[in-house]
Amino acid sequence: DGYAGYEKLAAREDITALACMAHARRYFDKALNNDKARATHALEKIQQLYAIERRCDERDDPPDRRHEHRQREAEPILDELEQWLRMEINVVAPKSPIGTAIAYTLGLWQRLRAYTLDGHYLIDKKPVEGRSVDMLALELQAAATGKAEPVVIVSADALTAHQAVINVLDAARRAGLNRLSFAAQVPAGSGR
């Protein structure tokens, strides 16, 4: 989502920064009334990317197969979309909804397409965003202690940190790792 707080983490060599394709898609949805042709073109390309993910889900592809499909099918679509975005940014009004959508997408481009680097990565963070804060708190508490007692989140920063932890734990689960063992391996102070 372009949150500036992620920049310090993204600068680390041992972290692959990802951006959420659903956020980019929402910008183009908002631009439909401003520039229907351009917004529709971008949305169709993004929908093709989601169709690849849907087919992988339907086949229950393991991560290595998902990675192969992304390399073979998604990379050419992403290359074409990137080329189109770089051309269109020069001809649209920068502060228009379509200009904002294109600028947002290009600003996060490397992170948006980074999901293709590994079959464990997600194209977006909808699986995590859709859960309630209370559910996220319970999951974090359960992962950390083995008990399902509520965690009190008292600030927006704490919520952001909590969501980051849940994203990591969810990725570990999707990779077939034991979340408690995985969480126990995170070095003390790594969130500072």
Side-chain angles (χ1 to χ4, degrees):
D1 61 4
Y3 173 61
Y6 297 143
E7 294 306 314
K8 187 175 180 181
L9 288 173
R12 290 179 42 177
E13 289 183 23
D14 60 334
I15 292 178
T16 301
L18 302 170
C20 178
M21 191 67 73
H23 284 128
R25 183 177 57 195
R26 281 187 212 123
Y27 277 87
F28 288 105
D29 280 336
K30 291 177 186 175
L32 279 168
N33 290 334
N34 167 250
D35 190 327
K36 187 171 184 172
R38 286 186 177 95
T40 298
H41 178 79
L43 289 167
E44 287 172 353
K45 292 298 176 190
I46 292 169
Q47 188 56 38
Q48 290 173 10
L49 298 171
Y50 275 94
I52 295 164
E53 296 304 302
R54 191 170 37 260
R55 287 191 300 272
C56 289
D57 289 341
E58 289 167 357
R59 290 187 304 259
D60 200 25
D61 283 346
D64 60 328
R65 292 284 310 216
R66 184 178 295 264
H67 178 251
E68 290 170 14
H69 286 291
R70 288 173 175 174
Q71 294 298 302
R72 187 175 54 253
E73 300 171 46
E75 284 289 339
I77 296 167
L78 288 162
D79 290 341
E80 182 182 333
L81 181 56
E82 179 181 13
Q83 182 179 7
W84 179 84
L85 291 166
R86 293 199 183 283
M87 286 183 354
E88 296 301 315
I89 193 72
N90 296 311
V91 297
V92 298
K95 297 203 185 263
S96 67
I98 193 67
T100 301
I102 292 171
Y104 174 85
T105 303
L106 283 173
L108 291 173
W109 188 250
Q110 291 308 313
R111 293 177 188 182
L112 284 167
R113 74 179 299 155
Y115 81 95
T116 64
L117 299 173
D118 189 305
H120 295 98
Y121 297 160
L122 302 175
I123 190 171
D124 63 35
K125 60 183 189 175
K126 282 189 305 185
V128 175
E129 275 187 340
R131 297 187 210 148
S132 71
V133 172
D134 290 338
M135 182 56 71
L136 293 173
L138 287 171
E139 288 185 21
L140 178 59
Q141 185 72 21
T145 67
K147 299 176 185 174
E149 297 173 10
V151 174
V152 177
I153 299 175
V154 295
S155 71
D157 288 341
L159 178 59
T160 299
H162 172 76
Q163 287 174 327
V165 170
I166 292 302
N167 286 339
V168 169
L169 293 176
D170 195 50
R173 180 193 55 78
R174 286 178 54 92
L177 302 172
N178 178 298
R179 294 189 316 169
L180 184 55
S181 297
F182 185 80
Q185 296 176 30
V186 176
S190 60
R192 294 183 189 156

